[in-house]
Amino acid sequence: MLVDRFSNGSTANDNTGNGEYNPSDLGFYHGGDWTGLTNKLSYIKNLGVTAIWLSPVSEQQPLSRDGKEASYHGYFTKDFATPNSHFGSKAELQTLIDTAHSMGLKMILDVVPNHTADYLAGTSTTYSPSTNKPASPLDNSAYFHHNGDCRFDGSETQTQIENCDLGGLDDLDQSNSTVSSYLMATYKDWIGMGFDGIRVDAARSVPKPWLQSFEQTMGVPTFGEVFVGDIDYVSEYQKYEWGVLDFPYFFTVRDTLVADGDMRNLGGLFDQDYKYTNANRLETFLDNHDRARFLTRADDNYQRLRSALTFLLSSRGVPVIYYGTEQADDGNGNPNEVPIANKDNRKDMTSFSETSTIYTHIKRLNAMKKAYPALRVGTQREMWKDQQVYGFSRRVDSSGAEAVTLINGTWPNQTRTIPLRAESSLTVGTVLTNIMNTADTVTVQAGGTTGKQITTTLGEHEAKVYVPGSVTAYTPPARNVTKIRVHYNVGLGNSIAIRGNTYPFTWTYGRGARNIAPDVWEFELERIPAGQAFEFKPLVNDSQYSTGANYVGTGGQTMDVYPTF
């Protein structure tokens, strides 16, 4: 989580008078702090997660060089050894750590050893003015590289990546003994407060041997940010760190599931797991602070998000939930990620509901992950793949504990008869129960290529996780589905879009409806509360409005409209 955007426990640390505080602008400080987070720990604990990854804790340069962005995120470091005064005192951080530990939550420190804030202009070796520099002992320009900004245009080499300025931020030289010793000692002090693990920012910009030495010195597991989708490239880093953020997983899974992509892409991803030292130590995710929200790119379809979360929390790796996903954060509807999505996906938390639909869904998944070892440490093996459906088993081979995940990446129901893996200990006649809806069971039948198989039907964008034995009863909450059906013959090659006055609709651009029958176009959503009125209007090709007045819809209902154009 971004501490600044989670919960404001003390207004006294909001504004230091340096122009960095503006709660109406997503590029500046908003007031969240460690005390606010401490006050909300029960909300996090009740979600069922087991660790909290905090944004960086060190004191920051208040503003970027151009003054257009504040350091609320924690990546403009000024003094590595001092706590960020916006977040509170070291004592307040200690209270947060101790309270989290008392509740069984581990704490993960985000470290930034690659760079400081931007003090040196371009390739300059001189601080101007002389007071504009990082805190001692890093206030010596000889401790930095002076090669200018990273290009990231395809021409860069690994050496250049490790020696260029990331977004203008001054690149530290870890080969310098003073720099290395200072970073090691300072972060060791932070770890001494009780942090249980470390996320390394911009790990691909730091020499790999240094990453390895750093983890050994810290004495806790580390996982690095390697912001690349190439498995061959990313997998190398797990030779030097306990884990690595699984960007190949992110790009493949998200982009497949947000837009009904070819589910065989998932098989292509997992087929390369052998390249990692340990795929179960990869940190997997659907949302993060540098990418647009999943829902923003998935047309705000909650069912797509539910199935993706089921997939995330049952597939191999250590899943990460980005704050706000559990409350269906809309990312202000902004899908832009060039070069990174650094504002609309970093909104303030506005709801801490523990009964909301996505929170409830994640809570159930976490409870089941805790109850079934196969979902935590089982070896993942593919069971099925075609364009619409993907399936895998996870099995603890030493005990035979097993779970089976199946996911439908399309709108129509999909029925499949799927052979069990040859490794499976499940026997013919075994009843398997879907942990996400315990009224749904299947029985292992004789037949198929391995002599054992199951047949199941997956609903629209549905993911199921089947396990043997008794399962704690669970009925998924009823969905608050609003449907707009537009009845009109648009002609070959044309389409229907819908605009409106209530998100996910806007009057700026249309949401594309899908063709479900001859001359029938449908858009489905869940965000608008049941009973709430809203206005909308269909367009042909999102350019030509229907004639007449706006239509009035009601949340939770199905509306059939017969427009003219």
Side-chain angles (χ1 to χ4, degrees):
M1 69 180 58
L2 292 176
V3 172
D4 181 66
R5 302 299 162 84
F6 197 68
S7 178
N8 193 344
S10 171
T11 58
N13 55 32
D14 289 356
N15 192 352
T16 63
N18 293 298
E20 82 289 4
Y21 176 72
N22 184 353
S24 65
D25 190 320
L26 285 168
F28 292 79
Y29 279 93
H30 285 195
D33 49 39
W34 295 320
T35 296
L37 174 52
T38 303
N39 295 339
K40 297 294 185 183
L41 284 177
S42 62
Y43 165 86
I44 297 171
K45 174 68 174 178
N46 293 342
L47 184 62
V49 298
T50 57
I52 300 172
W53 158 14
L54 288 179
S55 52
V57 300
S58 298
E59 186 65 29
Q60 301 288 297
Q61 183 68 16
L63 295 171
S64 59
R65 174 179 288 274
D66 61 10
K68 295 180 179 180
E69 182 181 4
S71 54
Y72 68 91
H73 40 64
Y75 300 113
F76 296 169
T77 311
K78 178 177 184 177
D79 186 346
F80 286 85
T82 302
N84 187 337
S85 56
H86 280 287
F87 299 158
S89 66
K90 201 165 186 179
E92 288 167 324
L93 177 57
Q94 189 68 66
T95 297
L96 168 61
I97 295 170
D98 293 345
T99 307
H101 282 168
S102 73
M103 300 172 69
L105 293 165
K106 295 187 182 299
M107 297 294 290
I108 297 170
L109 175 69
D110 196 319
V111 306
V112 192
N114 177 65
H115 57 261
T116 65
D118 183 9
Y119 297 104
L120 295 164
T123 59
S124 174
T125 60
T126 304
Y127 294 113
S128 180
S130 60
T131 55
N132 182 47
K133 59 185 178 180
S136 176
L138 298 181
D139 54 346
N140 182 340
S141 66
Y143 295 160
F144 297 84
H145 298 120
H146 305 283
N147 300 309
D149 287 357
C150 301
R151 294 193 297 268
F152 295 124
D153 61 0
S155 67
E156 67 275 0
T157 65
Q158 184 61 31
T159 299
Q160 290 167 338
I161 288 170
E162 293 175 6
N163 294 279
C164 59
D165 288 354
L166 188 62
L169 301 169
D170 297 350
D171 194 69
L172 285 161
D173 180 5
Q174 291 80 17
S175 69
N176 182 287
S177 60
T178 300
V179 172
S180 181
S181 297
Y182 174 74
L183 292 173
M184 296 277 190
T186 301
Y187 279 126
K188 184 69 171 178
D189 285 343
W190 287 114
I191 289 297
M193 295 184 69
F195 283 100
D196 305 284
I198 290 174
R199 178 264 191 180
V200 181
D201 179 65
R204 71 176 296 215
S205 299
V206 178
K208 296 184 186 79
W210 193 90
L211 292 172
Q212 187 174 46
S213 296
F214 180 74
E215 178 173 271
Q216 292 168 349
T217 301
M218 295 304 104
V220 296
T222 70
F223 60 95
E225 178 198 31
V226 182
F227 199 153
V228 177
D230 179 0
I231 291 174
D232 289 325
Y233 186 91
V234 174
S235 61
E236 273 292 303
Y237 282 84
Q238 210 186 15
K239 297 176 182 177
Y240 301 91
E241 293 191 89
W242 184 90
V244 62
L245 281 159
D246 196 347
F247 275 91
Y249 180 106
F250 165 75
F251 287 118
T252 302
V253 173
R254 184 193 68 165
D255 293 349
T256 299
L257 299 185
V258 297
D260 303 359
D262 190 334
M263 300 293 278
R264 291 171 294 190
N265 294 337
L266 304 179
L269 169 75
F270 296 123
D271 283 349
Q272 300 181 71
D273 275 358
Y274 71 90
K275 296 179 180 179
Y276 293 102
T277 303
N278 186 336
N280 273 342
R281 291 182 178 178
L282 301 175
E283 282 62 50
T284 54
F285 57 99
L286 300 171
D287 286 315
N288 82 353
H289 57 292
D290 287 331
R291 299 286 92 185
R293 292 280 182 175
F294 182 97
L295 275 176
T296 300
R297 298 178 70 90
D299 241 356
D300 206 53
N301 186 270
Y302 284 24
Q303 187 62 5
R304 281 193 179 114
L305 177 57
R306 287 190 195 90
S307 66
L309 286 166
T310 301
F311 191 84
L312 174 72
L313 286 156
S314 62
S315 58
R316 95 298 185 264
V318 182
V320 180
I321 304 296
Y322 181 46
Y323 86 98
T325 296
E326 76 280 6
Q327 297 298 340
D329 186 281
D330 61 18
N332 282 338
N334 184 1
N336 180 50
E337 298 180 334
V338 180
I340 60 173
N342 64 352
K343 287 194 176 181
D344 291 305
N345 66 333
R346 301 177 181 181
K347 292 164 56 184
D348 294 349
M349 284 286 287
T350 56
S351 171
F352 292 91
S353 170
E354 296 186 21
T355 58
S356 60
T357 179
I358 305 300
Y359 184 100
T360 301
H361 188 79
I362 295 173
K363 181 176 181 177
R364 172 65 178 184
L365 285 165
N366 280 331
M368 293 296 96
K369 196 172 186 72
K370 181 178 181 180
Y372 292 93
L375 296 177
R376 300 195 305 276
V377 297
T379 298
Q380 183 166 313
R381 298 180 175 98
E382 185 173 276
M383 292 178 64
W384 186 271
K385 66 179 175 185
D386 60 37
Q387 191 166 348
Q388 298 82 26
V389 174
Y390 188 78
F392 60 84
S393 73
R394 292 192 69 190
R395 184 173 186 269
V396 181
D397 292 336
S398 60
S399 68
E402 187 172 358
V404 172
T405 295
L406 306 171
I407 182 170
N408 173 15
T410 68
W411 291 91
N413 290 355
Q414 302 289 341
T415 299
R416 298 288 187 277
T417 296
I418 297 175
L420 298 184
R421 293 283 309 194
E423 297 89 348
S424 178
S425 303
L426 299 174
T427 58
V428 172
T430 301
V431 175
L432 304 178
T433 302
N434 176 13
I435 62 175
M436 300 310 295
N437 181 357
T438 51
D440 172 24
T441 62
V442 296
T443 301
V444 178
Q445 304 287 340
T449 56
T450 62
K452 300 179 292 185
Q453 59 189 11
I454 56 174
T455 299
T456 188
T457 298
L458 299 158
E460 67 171 56
H461 297 110
E462 183 178 23
K464 298 182 177 183
V465 182
Y466 284 113
V467 297
S470 177
V471 182
T472 305
Y474 182 76
T475 300
R479 295 172 60 198
N480 170 48
V481 178
T482 303
K483 290 185 179 181
I484 297 174
R485 292 176 179 160
V486 180
H487 298 254
Y488 187 77
N489 182 357
V490 296
L492 185 65
N494 298 308
S495 62
I496 289 288
I498 300 170
R499 300 191 190 189
N501 68 348
T502 303
Y503 195 84
F505 301 121
T506 72
W507 294 120
T508 306
Y509 60 88
R511 296 283 184 182
R514 64 189 181 96
N515 188 227
I516 62 170
D519 306 340
V520 182
W521 299 78
E522 179 180 274
F523 187 83
E524 174 185 299
L525 62 133
E526 296 183 49
R527 187 175 294 277
I528 299 176
Q532 178 177 311
F534 65 98
E535 295 184 11
F536 68 95
K537 208 166 189 180
L539 301 87
V540 173
N541 297 331
D542 199 25
S543 60
Q544 180 184 356
Y545 276 107
S546 63
T547 60
N550 297 338
Y551 292 94
V552 177
T554 304
Q557 295 187 10
T558 296
M559 289 140 289
D560 288 275
V561 299
Y562 299 82
T564 56
F565 291 88

